[in-house]
Amino acid sequence: MQPILPGAPWLIAHRSMLGVNRPHKITLNGRDYVIWQNQKGEVSALDNICPHMQAPLSDGWICQERNTITCPFHALEFDSKGRLERGDKEDTQPITQPLEIIVKNDCVWTYAGFEPRLPIPELHQKIVDEYELLGVTGEKSIQGSFLSNLMVNYDYNHQNGTHKELFRITSCHVSSFEKNGYYTKIQQELTRADNTFTEIIKNPVLGIFPKNLSNTLEYAFPSTTVFFAKTPIGDIAQTHLLYPETENRTKTFILMYVKVNNPVMKFLFKNSVLQAGARVIEQDTGAVESLYPREKPKIRLPNEEIMFYAEELYHDW
């Protein structure tokens, strides 16, 4: 396939998603890779194909002593540079291609071998400087193009329908829209219906959101959408990531960050906040996967310029 947005930085994993000494398969722009983390926290990545008989290395295992990955067919070992392990004899040339990665603030980034066209977004540094990670949620492969998923993330209006019942939304309004190259920021005002006790029992996250919410959404094209919300128990930074697996399949997951004064409240609401994030992904997935082939819109909604600005950045890449 033709690579989508070559030279863009892609956040492909968080350390907490990898475990220790466990092969983890990812697909990026139509190519499969195996990624793993050793007990020292060092992260390595290679082409997922064994150069002997093309077995998937992600089905193999990690040799802890040598930090090598072992092919499941014939137990051939490869180090983090793609060199065949031969015991006492040292191979100097890789025979399977390593994937160059950058680990920053526990996030694993890659340019997938292309010359960088954008830096890793400063937005992520801003988040880790002020918030702590609550967890990862909503990891999913969506059957839909990267552009379709991108435009859903930039389309704040879909909350009026797609997420209406989940958060009991009655109105959604954008009061400001700022754009600065590949960075975009909007200020959003949400109004929610009153929640019944039964609704809060079923969806505890409703109990921490006020009736009127003033939220900020910040976008770092093309991978990152961050939803900043203030609640009575603390602040949330829901960091929504995308990267293209294939032409018609897009990977997504959420890094949920929080800033709370009372750790007890963090403990009490952790699961419900993560579950709400996963439910957002499920609803977005349903929206994307049910779309008919795209035609030119015959209706325009208020403040859709942010969505079409993202589309313009995509096509002008």
Side-chain angles (χ1 to χ4, degrees):
M1 63 172 281
Q2 285 291 109
I4 294 169
L5 305 178
W10 301 113
L11 202 170
I12 55 174
H14 186 271
R15 282 187 190 276
S16 61
M17 301 165 68
L18 300 178
V20 176
N21 292 324
R22 289 207 327 254
H24 184 88
K25 175 186 169 184
I26 70 134
T27 303
L28 176 60
N29 271 330
R31 193 164 183 172
D32 291 344
Y33 301 94
V34 59
I35 182 169
W36 72 94
Q37 177 178 220
N38 66 17
Q39 62 272 18
K40 296 179 182 178
E42 299 165 337
V43 181
S44 306
L46 299 173
D47 268 348
N48 197 36
I49 304 172
C50 177
H52 174 224
M53 291 185 68
Q54 290 72 59
L57 294 176
S58 56
D59 287 347
W61 60 93
I62 306 301
C63 176
Q64 179 175 326
E65 292 78 12
R66 293 184 289 275
N67 191 33
T68 54
I69 188 163
T70 307
C71 173
F73 275 18
H74 299 93
L76 298 173
E77 292 182 39
F78 301 92
D79 68 12
S80 60
K81 296 182 180 179
R83 299 174 300 193
L84 179 64
E85 174 68 36
R86 295 181 181 268
D88 295 335
K89 184 178 178 181
E90 182 178 348
D91 276 13
T92 59
Q93 296 299 319
I95 58 172
T96 189
Q97 186 68 29
L99 174 67
E100 185 178 350
I101 56 175
I102 302 165
V103 181
K104 188 174 183 180
N105 296 317
D106 292 329
C107 292
V108 183
W109 296 84
T110 185
Y111 289 94
F114 290 98
E115 187 71 24
R117 290 189 56 183
L118 289 176
I120 291 172
E122 294 180 2
L123 179 55
H124 288 264
Q125 186 66 52
K126 167 186 169 181
I127 294 168
V128 298
D129 284 346
E130 299 181 19
Y131 296 78
E132 60 178 312
L133 183 73
L134 185 68
V136 183
T137 189
E139 184 180 5
K140 191 173 183 63
S141 291
I142 302 176
Q143 298 302 316
S145 70
F146 182 80
L147 181 58
S148 295
N149 283 275
L150 179 74
M151 291 186 72
V152 166
N153 277 13
Y154 276 77
D155 174 22
Y156 85 91
N157 284 303
H158 84 281
Q159 296 184 54
N160 291 322
T162 305
H163 306 311
K164 179 181 179 66
E165 289 304 315
L166 178 61
F167 296 111
R168 304 288 287 139
I169 296 170
T170 57
S171 70
C172 179
H173 171 67
V174 165
S175 55
S176 69
F177 165 39
E178 305 171 23
K179 58 183 180 181
N180 181 14
Y182 293 99
Y183 169 80
T184 315
K185 179 179 180 179
I186 70 171
Q187 192 66 35
Q188 177 197 62
E189 316 300 327
L190 280 179
T191 303
R192 304 191 316 106
D194 293 326
N195 302 126
T196 67
F197 180 74
T198 301
E199 286 172 338
I200 293 175
I201 292 297
K202 290 182 179 179
N203 184 12
V205 77
L206 293 176
I208 67 172
F209 284 129
K211 186 172 181 178
N212 297 300
L213 276 164
S214 180
N215 307 318
T216 302
L217 286 95
E218 298 187 34
Y219 302 84
F221 182 92
S223 66
T224 306
T225 301
V226 186
F227 173 81
F228 292 97
K230 293 185 178 294
T231 77
I233 69 164
D235 300 342
I236 294 172
Q238 177 179 289
T239 307
H240 194 149
L241 287 313
L242 292 175
Y243 65 83
E245 290 190 311
T246 66
E247 287 180 335
N248 296 304
R249 197 175 74 233
T250 304
K251 189 62 172 285
T252 188
F253 57 93
I254 289 173
L255 301 179
M256 194 74 76
Y257 294 89
V258 295
K259 182 166 50 177
V260 295
N261 296 323
N262 187 340
V264 174
M265 299 304 290
K266 175 185 171 184
F267 173 78
L268 289 174
F269 284 96
K270 176 179 179 177
N271 287 339
S272 60
V273 171
L274 293 176
Q275 288 168 8
R279 184 65 180 138
V280 165
I281 294 291
E282 287 296 332
Q283 291 180 337
D284 285 347
T285 299
V288 171
E289 293 185 344
S290 65
L291 295 174
Y292 284 101
R294 193 161 176 210
E295 297 181 358
K296 187 175 180 179
K298 299 179 177 66
I299 302 168
R300 290 294 295 267
L301 298 178
N303 301 112
E304 282 191 325
E305 60 266 30
I306 185 173
M307 181 172 62
F308 293 110
Y309 181 65
E311 184 180 34
E312 180 182 337
L313 291 176
Y314 179 91
H315 288 305
D316 291 345
W317 184 257

